[in-house]
Amino acid sequence: MPSTRPTRSVLYVPGDKPRAIDKARTLGADAIILDLEDAVAPEHKPHARDHIRQALQTPWTIPVLIRVNALNTPWEHDDRELALTAGASGIVLPKVEHAHDAHALSLGLPLWAMIETPQGVLNAPQIAAVPGVTTLIVGANDLARALRTQPHPDRTPLLHALSSVVLAARAHGKTPLDAVYNDIRNMGGFTRECQQGRALGFSGKTLIHPNQIEAANHAYGVTATEAAEAQALINAWDAARNEGKSIATHQGALVEQMHVDEAREVLALYAAMTRG
């Protein structure tokens, strides 16, 4: 099972925006990705590295990862040196298409692999199997462009790819994270996409604006009521097992071991949320 540390909301913050980085400490996201790639113009990347290094000198209470530039770019060496020495919680590698891409950036840190090309989707199972890869992130903007799809409010053209990434991640005990939602003004659309993502099996969503954090935390979180229901199911199972029964019923429904395992995952996530 993937780590029960919450990843409901994972916010990208441009590495060349020190004020935004400092503010990110207080926003309530489950994790932060300090970005050196798309959000930073080429001429600003050296300053962005300096800002990130300085920001990581002060401890954070949540995981902070660095999104480096893709392999075989002019910034690869400097980004790798920063990732090795700055004290980040992990590395986010964009445009991972093959397992050897992940192997090439094996630096002893957790690696979050971005799946944002057709080749990446097809090879997602092999990428997820690489030791050190802990998370798969869908990069839907690049993927949609590569697939030549048309925008659709329900992401119908991307559903096969989205589910393929979830399937690959879950098959190897890794965490799948859904793609960003671009229209920061459309909170209704964002909320619906979060609900869709959770229904598809994602553990959380990557974000581009602080205003999206609360809705993502709610959509991918566990409420006190849901935790209480999970505990009640476990109690019913335990009572039946103590009576020598192999199955139990709870609120009129059959309870088997798989339901108990799911309930325990819910409680573990709730405990992790409340600790945070």
Side-chain angles (χ1 to χ4, degrees):
M1 185 180 72
S3 169
T4 54
R5 186 180 185 101
T7 52
R8 302 164 296 173
S9 55
V10 180
L11 179 66
Y12 287 103
V13 181
D16 61 345
K17 300 291 189 294
R19 291 184 180 178
I21 294 173
D22 190 53
K23 185 178 180 181
R25 296 177 182 272
T26 65
L27 293 176
D30 284 336
I32 298 293
I33 297 174
L34 300 180
D35 195 6
L36 286 170
E37 197 214 11
D38 285 347
V40 181
E43 65 271 20
H44 295 157
K45 292 185 189 292
H47 293 299
R49 289 189 205 95
D50 292 339
H51 293 317
I52 289 175
R53 187 181 300 278
Q54 183 175 358
L56 290 174
Q57 289 178 356
T58 302
W60 292 64
T61 59
I62 56 176
V64 181
L65 297 95
I66 300 173
R67 178 161 75 162
V68 299
N69 288 277
L71 299 174
N72 302 315
T73 62
W75 310 284
E76 176 184 356
H77 176 77
D78 290 337
D79 288 356
R80 183 177 301 207
E81 189 275 336
L82 175 68
L84 277 170
T85 60
S89 304
I91 301 171
V92 179
L93 180 62
K95 298 177 178 62
V96 179
E97 294 193 312
H98 304 277
H100 61 70
D101 296 335
H103 282 295
L105 204 70
S106 179
L107 303 178
L109 292 172
L111 181 62
W112 293 18
M114 296 196 68
I115 308 300
E116 44 191 339
T117 67
Q119 196 70 53
V121 173
L122 292 176
N123 291 326
Q126 292 78 23
I127 295 167
V130 173
V133 171
T134 63
T135 302
L136 299 185
I137 305 175
V138 175
N141 290 330
D142 287 284
L143 182 59
R145 181 172 179 269
L147 292 174
R148 308 296 194 271
T149 65
Q150 295 295 312
H152 192 284
D154 294 327
R155 298 196 291 181
T156 301
L158 294 177
L159 288 180
H160 175 73
L162 295 172
S163 291
S164 294
V165 173
V166 172
L167 184 63
R170 297 301 184 192
H172 294 280
K174 309 300 172 69
T175 299
L177 293 180
D178 200 359
V180 300
Y181 185 82
N182 296 320
D183 188 353
I184 62 175
R185 301 164 299 177
N186 186 358
M187 289 306 299
F190 175 77
T191 298
R192 287 192 296 273
E193 194 163 290
C194 285
Q195 293 167 344
Q196 179 197 47
R198 180 163 185 175
L200 289 172
F202 287 101
S203 293
K205 194 159 183 66
T206 49
L207 315 175
I208 58 173
H209 196 279
N211 289 347
Q212 298 172 330
I213 294 173
E214 183 177 357
N217 284 348
H218 178 75
Y220 285 98
V222 174
T223 66
T225 298
E226 290 169 337
E229 291 174 352
Q231 186 61 63
L233 183 148
I234 293 172
N235 292 343
W237 170 261
D238 289 342
R241 294 295 289 141
N242 288 337
E243 295 174 4
K245 300 177 181 178
S246 299
I247 59 175
T249 58
H250 176 62
Q251 297 181 347
L254 183 70
V255 177
E256 297 179 330
Q257 183 65 55
M258 66 176 180
H259 303 115
V260 178
D261 293 342
E262 182 179 14
R264 287 174 176 155
E265 290 180 17
V266 169
L267 289 179
L269 178 57
Y270 183 72
M273 288 168 45
T274 54
R275 283 198 306 268

